[in-house]
Amino acid sequence: MTTGGRAELGIDLDELRLLVGMSYRELARRTGCARSTLHDALTGRRFPRLDTVLAIAQACGGDPARWRLRWVAACKRSHAPRSEATTSLQSTNPS
C-alpha cells in the first residue's frame, strides 16, 4: 500500500479489485454502488464515503476494519494544520 493520502486510498482499493480480478460491473453488482461512483472513488477522482470503502473492501475479500482505519487516516491527513508559511502570510494580511 502507498502513503495513505486521500487519492492513494482509492488507488489502493482499485489494486485490491484488480488482484481479485473483478470488473467495475461486478463490483457495482456486489456493492450496490453505481459504476460511476466506484470509478470516481477508485481512480482518486473523488474521496469515497466510508460505507463505499467498506462495501468495496468486503466485496473484494479485504479486511473492513483495516480499510476503515485507512479511511480515517486519510480524513485526518486532509485536515492537517496549515503550514507555518501559510499561517504567517495570513496573519500579516488585515481582515
Side-chain angles (χ1 to χ4, degrees):
M1 289 192 185
T2 55
T3 60
R6 292 180 136 228
E8 289 86 359
L9 176 70
I11 292 166
D12 289 347
L13 278 168
D14 197 37
E15 287 179 11
L16 179 64
R17 175 188 70 85
L18 292 170
L19 281 172
V20 298
M22 195 176 302
S23 68
Y24 278 106
R25 181 181 304 246
E26 179 64 15
L27 186 59
R29 188 184 68 73
R30 289 187 184 198
T31 61
C33 298
R35 280 188 286 171
S36 59
T37 298
L38 294 171
H39 184 266
D40 287 350
L42 297 178
T43 59
R45 185 174 179 193
R46 292 187 187 219
F47 188 67
R49 295 178 1 185
L50 177 58
D51 60 338
T52 303
V53 170
L54 297 178
I56 294 167
Q58 188 168 11
C60 295
D63 178 5
R66 183 176 181 197
W67 286 100
R68 177 186 298 272
L69 292 174
R70 286 283 315 276
W71 184 86
V72 169
C75 286
K76 287 180 181 177
R77 289 180 76 101
S78 70
H79 293 99
R82 294 180 182 173
S83 70
E84 288 183 26
T86 304
T87 304
S88 65
L89 283 174
Q90 287 180 341
S91 65
T92 60
N93 293 332
S95 298

